[in-house]
Amino acid sequence: AYLYKAARHMALRHKSRRRIIFSLDDLTREPEAQTLVEEIVRTKERNQILHLCMDELNSDYREALYLTYFEGMSYQQAAEVMWKSVKQITNMVYRGKERLRGLLQREGITDVEK
């Protein structure tokens, strides 16, 4: 059962992986490069804070949020991967978002979507 869960999780994760790679040096040739680079750095810092806060979450909340938001899975797909019901996933995502919002606010990020 565990191997099935892990294999399914990897298969679903593989479908959603795409990376766009670019260099900040390439952007410095653009007219508004400084503003764009500053925004990218700010976004990178916010992402680091997000990941640190995610690490503080209960593991079930973290996995439910990761699967639904970062991997783009439906609640049904996440339920299958985690061996939970859709209702349990709904509750974990809600509670995880509430806890994550509090952690982000503690770190000074106050403009978090509900």
Side-chain angles (χ1 to χ4, degrees):
Y2 175 77
L3 290 177
Y4 171 77
K5 178 181 173 184
R8 177 147 173 80
H9 179 104
M10 292 305 294
L12 290 170
R13 285 186 65 200
H14 181 70
K15 280 182 14 182
S16 65
R17 282 200 177 166
R18 258 190 237 147
R19 288 219 162 175
I20 298 172
I21 299 173
F22 63 92
S23 167
L24 291 179
D25 294 333
D26 295 340
L27 297 176
T28 58
R29 296 183 200 101
E30 301 297 321
E32 297 177 4
Q34 187 62 36
T35 304
L36 184 56
V37 170
E38 287 172 3
E39 182 58 34
I40 290 169
V41 169
R42 188 171 27 257
T43 300
K44 186 174 181 178
E45 289 171 355
R46 287 173 60 103
N47 284 340
Q48 289 172 337
I49 292 169
L50 172 64
H51 287 284
L52 289 172
C53 290
M54 287 283 290
D55 286 344
E56 291 187 44
L57 293 176
N58 165 296
S59 61
D60 280 342
Y61 294 172
R62 182 173 51 247
E63 185 174 6
L65 287 172
Y66 180 81
L67 293 174
T68 56
Y69 283 93
F70 295 98
E71 295 294 336
M73 289 186 188
S74 69
Y75 284 18
Q76 179 64 47
Q77 290 172 316
E80 290 173 17
V81 168
M82 292 181 68
W83 293 78
K84 306 281 184 187
S85 70
V86 173
K87 178 69 172 160
Q88 287 173 305
I89 296 297
T90 302
N91 288 337
M92 283 189 272
V93 168
Y94 175 80
R95 291 180 183 139
K97 283 183 0 184
E98 290 298 307
R99 176 75 175 123
L100 183 58
R101 185 175 294 113
L103 292 170
L104 290 170
Q105 287 174 346
R106 179 194 74 193
E107 296 298 326
I109 298 178
T110 58
D111 59 339
V112 181
E113 287 182 25
K114 291 212 176 224

PDB file of all heavy atoms in Angstrom, residues 58-72:
ATOM      1  N   ASN A  58       2.051  21.400  10.693  1.00  0.00           N
ATOM      2  CA  ASN A  58       1.776  19.982  10.884  1.00  0.00           C
ATOM      3  C   ASN A  58       1.995  19.297   9.534  1.00  0.00           C
ATOM      4  O   ASN A  58       1.625  19.832   8.491  1.00  0.00           O
ATOM      5  CB  ASN A  58       0.325  19.863  11.377  1.00  0.00           C
ATOM      6  CG  ASN A  58      -0.239  18.475  11.295  1.00  0.00           C
ATOM      7  OD1 ASN A  58      -0.385  17.919  10.204  1.00  0.00           O
ATOM      8  ND2 ASN A  58      -0.582  17.935  12.431  1.00  0.00           N
ATOM      9  N   SER A  59       2.585  18.109   9.540  1.00  0.00           N
ATOM     10  CA  SER A  59       2.954  17.453   8.279  1.00  0.00           C
ATOM     11  C   SER A  59       1.752  17.188   7.369  1.00  0.00           C
ATOM     12  O   SER A  59       1.871  17.299   6.143  1.00  0.00           O
ATOM     13  CB  SER A  59       3.711  16.157   8.550  1.00  0.00           C
ATOM     14  OG  SER A  59       2.904  15.252   9.271  1.00  0.00           O
ATOM     15  N   ASP A  60       0.584  16.854   7.931  1.00  0.00           N
ATOM     16  CA  ASP A  60      -0.605  16.638   7.095  1.00  0.00           C
ATOM     17  C   ASP A  60      -1.057  17.943   6.434  1.00  0.00           C
ATOM     18  O   ASP A  60      -1.413  17.962   5.262  1.00  0.00           O
ATOM     19  CB  ASP A  60      -1.762  16.054   7.912  1.00  0.00           C
ATOM     20  CG  ASP A  60      -1.621  14.551   8.132  1.00  0.00           C
ATOM     21  OD1 ASP A  60      -0.845  13.901   7.387  1.00  0.00           O
ATOM     22  OD2 ASP A  60      -2.286  14.035   9.028  1.00  0.00           O
ATOM     23  N   TYR A  61      -1.046  19.037   7.188  1.00  0.00           N
ATOM     24  CA  TYR A  61      -1.419  20.333   6.615  1.00  0.00           C
ATOM     25  C   TYR A  61      -0.452  20.703   5.504  1.00  0.00           C
ATOM     26  O   TYR A  61      -0.853  21.164   4.433  1.00  0.00           O
ATOM     27  CB  TYR A  61      -1.399  21.438   7.669  1.00  0.00           C
ATOM     28  CG  TYR A  61      -2.416  21.321   8.774  1.00  0.00           C
ATOM     29  CD1 TYR A  61      -2.369  22.186   9.863  1.00  0.00           C
ATOM     30  CD2 TYR A  61      -3.427  20.364   8.762  1.00  0.00           C
ATOM     31  CE1 TYR A  61      -3.304  22.104  10.886  1.00  0.00           C
ATOM     32  CE2 TYR A  61      -4.354  20.276   9.785  1.00  0.00           C
ATOM     33  CZ  TYR A  61      -4.283  21.149  10.845  1.00  0.00           C
ATOM     34  OH  TYR A  61      -5.200  21.077  11.867  1.00  0.00           O
ATOM     35  N   ARG A  62       0.836  20.514   5.778  1.00  0.00           N
ATOM     36  CA  ARG A  62       1.870  20.864   4.802  1.00  0.00           C
ATOM     37  C   ARG A  62       1.694  20.056   3.515  1.00  0.00           C
ATOM     38  O   ARG A  62       1.727  20.610   2.420  1.00  0.00           O
ATOM     39  CB  ARG A  62       3.258  20.624   5.409  1.00  0.00           C
ATOM     40  CG  ARG A  62       4.392  21.010   4.489  1.00  0.00           C
ATOM     41  CD  ARG A  62       5.769  20.921   5.152  1.00  0.00           C
ATOM     42  NE  ARG A  62       6.014  19.657   5.812  1.00  0.00           N
ATOM     43  CZ  ARG A  62       6.149  19.507   7.134  1.00  0.00           C
ATOM     44  NH1 ARG A  62       6.054  20.546   7.944  1.00  0.00           N
ATOM     45  NH2 ARG A  62       6.385  18.322   7.654  1.00  0.00           N
ATOM     46  N   GLU A  63       1.466  18.761   3.651  1.00  0.00           N
ATOM     47  CA  GLU A  63       1.325  17.923   2.460  1.00  0.00           C
ATOM     48  C   GLU A  63       0.061  18.281   1.682  1.00  0.00           C
ATOM     49  O   GLU A  63       0.092  18.382   0.458  1.00  0.00           O
ATOM     50  CB  GLU A  63       1.302  16.431   2.832  1.00  0.00           C
ATOM     51  CG  GLU A  63       1.291  15.544   1.605  1.00  0.00           C
ATOM     52  CD  GLU A  63       1.421  14.060   1.908  1.00  0.00           C
ATOM     53  OE1 GLU A  63       1.409  13.673   3.090  1.00  0.00           O
ATOM     54  OE2 GLU A  63       1.528  13.290   0.946  1.00  0.00           O
ATOM     55  N   ALA A  64      -1.043  18.524   2.384  1.00  0.00           N
ATOM     56  CA  ALA A  64      -2.294  18.885   1.707  1.00  0.00           C
ATOM     57  C   ALA A  64      -2.138  20.210   0.952  1.00  0.00           C
ATOM     58  O   ALA A  64      -2.571  20.335  -0.194  1.00  0.00           O
ATOM     59  CB  ALA A  64      -3.442  18.971   2.712  1.00  0.00           C
ATOM     60  N   LEU A  65      -1.504  21.191   1.582  1.00  0.00           N
ATOM     61  CA  LEU A  65      -1.281  22.475   0.918  1.00  0.00           C
ATOM     62  C   LEU A  65      -0.327  22.321  -0.260  1.00  0.00           C
ATOM     63  O   LEU A  65      -0.548  22.885  -1.333  1.00  0.00           O
ATOM     64  CB  LEU A  65      -0.723  23.507   1.903  1.00  0.00           C
ATOM     65  CG  LEU A  65      -1.705  24.045   2.931  1.00  0.00           C
ATOM     66  CD1 LEU A  65      -0.978  24.907   3.957  1.00  0.00           C
ATOM     67  CD2 LEU A  65      -2.813  24.841   2.266  1.00  0.00           C
ATOM     68  N   TYR A  66       0.726  21.560  -0.060  1.00  0.00           N
ATOM     69  CA  TYR A  66       1.706  21.361  -1.128  1.00  0.00           C
ATOM     70  C   TYR A  66       1.055  20.718  -2.352  1.00  0.00           C
ATOM     71  O   TYR A  66       1.239  21.184  -3.480  1.00  0.00           O
ATOM     72  CB  TYR A  66       2.871  20.510  -0.621  1.00  0.00           C
ATOM     73  CG  TYR A  66       3.915  20.284  -1.683  1.00  0.00           C
ATOM     74  CD1 TYR A  66       4.868  21.260  -1.946  1.00  0.00           C
ATOM     75  CD2 TYR A  66       3.938  19.117  -2.432  1.00  0.00           C
ATOM     76  CE1 TYR A  66       5.813  21.080  -2.942  1.00  0.00           C
ATOM     77  CE2 TYR A  66       4.880  18.928  -3.428  1.00  0.00           C
ATOM     78  CZ  TYR A  66       5.813  19.915  -3.680  1.00  0.00           C
ATOM     79  OH  TYR A  66       6.734  19.741  -4.675  1.00  0.00           O
ATOM     80  N   LEU A  67       0.304  19.664  -2.116  1.00  0.00           N
ATOM     81  CA  LEU A  67      -0.306  18.953  -3.238  1.00  0.00           C
ATOM     82  C   LEU A  67      -1.326  19.806  -3.978  1.00  0.00           C
ATOM     83  O   LEU A  67      -1.367  19.811  -5.208  1.00  0.00           O
ATOM     84  CB  LEU A  67      -0.966  17.654  -2.745  1.00  0.00           C
ATOM     85  CG  LEU A  67      -0.019  16.579  -2.216  1.00  0.00           C
ATOM     86  CD1 LEU A  67      -0.811  15.415  -1.641  1.00  0.00           C
ATOM     87  CD2 LEU A  67       0.946  16.107  -3.287  1.00  0.00           C
ATOM     88  N   THR A  68      -2.145  20.550  -3.234  1.00  0.00           N
ATOM     89  CA  THR A  68      -3.211  21.316  -3.880  1.00  0.00           C
ATOM     90  C   THR A  68      -2.729  22.642  -4.480  1.00  0.00           C
ATOM     91  O   THR A  68      -3.201  23.036  -5.541  1.00  0.00           O
ATOM     92  CB  THR A  68      -4.381  21.582  -2.914  1.00  0.00           C
ATOM     93  OG1 THR A  68      -3.898  22.248  -1.750  1.00  0.00           O
ATOM     94  CG2 THR A  68      -5.064  20.288  -2.512  1.00  0.00           C
ATOM     95  N   TYR A  69      -1.782  23.313  -3.828  1.00  0.00           N
ATOM     96  CA  TYR A  69      -1.346  24.615  -4.331  1.00  0.00           C
ATOM     97  C   TYR A  69      -0.094  24.532  -5.193  1.00  0.00           C
ATOM     98  O   TYR A  69      -0.043  25.101  -6.277  1.00  0.00           O
ATOM     99  CB  TYR A  69      -1.115  25.599  -3.174  1.00  0.00           C
ATOM    100  CG  TYR A  69      -2.416  26.125  -2.647  1.00  0.00           C
ATOM    101  CD1 TYR A  69      -3.061  25.505  -1.584  1.00  0.00           C
ATOM    102  CD2 TYR A  69      -3.041  27.211  -3.241  1.00  0.00           C
ATOM    103  CE1 TYR A  69      -4.274  25.961  -1.110  1.00  0.00           C
ATOM    104  CE2 TYR A  69      -4.252  27.685  -2.789  1.00  0.00           C
ATOM    105  CZ  TYR A  69      -4.867  27.056  -1.718  1.00  0.00           C
ATOM    106  OH  TYR A  69      -6.066  27.510  -1.278  1.00  0.00           O
ATOM    107  N   PHE A  70       0.933  23.844  -4.727  1.00  0.00           N
ATOM    108  CA  PHE A  70       2.192  23.816  -5.461  1.00  0.00           C
ATOM    109  C   PHE A  70       2.178  22.798  -6.597  1.00  0.00           C
ATOM    110  O   PHE A  70       2.808  23.008  -7.621  1.00  0.00           O
ATOM    111  CB  PHE A  70       3.364  23.543  -4.516  1.00  0.00           C
ATOM    112  CG  PHE A  70       3.574  24.638  -3.517  1.00  0.00           C
ATOM    113  CD1 PHE A  70       3.066  24.529  -2.242  1.00  0.00           C
ATOM    114  CD2 PHE A  70       4.265  25.789  -3.862  1.00  0.00           C
ATOM    115  CE1 PHE A  70       3.248  25.546  -1.312  1.00  0.00           C
ATOM    116  CE2 PHE A  70       4.447  26.808  -2.954  1.00  0.00           C
ATOM    117  CZ  PHE A  70       3.934  26.692  -1.668  1.00  0.00           C
ATOM    118  N   GLU A  71       1.487  21.686  -6.394  1.00  0.00           N
ATOM    119  CA  GLU A  71       1.419  20.662  -7.432  1.00  0.00           C
ATOM    120  C   GLU A  71       0.156  20.786  -8.287  1.00  0.00           C
ATOM    121  O   GLU A  71       0.014  20.103  -9.287  1.00  0.00           O
ATOM    122  CB  GLU A  71       1.490  19.259  -6.821  1.00  0.00           C
ATOM    123  CG  GLU A  71       2.802  18.959  -6.145  1.00  0.00           C
ATOM    124  CD  GLU A  71       3.983  18.905  -7.100  1.00  0.00           C
ATOM    125  OE1 GLU A  71       3.781  18.643  -8.298  1.00  0.00           O
ATOM    126  OE2 GLU A  71       5.121  19.135  -6.648  1.00  0.00           O
ATOM    127  N   GLY A  72      -0.776  21.628  -7.863  1.00  0.00           N
ATOM    128  CA  GLY A  72      -1.984  21.873  -8.645  1.00  0.00           C
ATOM    129  C   GLY A  72      -2.975  20.716  -8.673  1.00  0.00           C
ATOM    130  O   GLY A  72      -3.804  20.625  -9.572  1.00  0.00           O
TER     131      GLY A  72
END
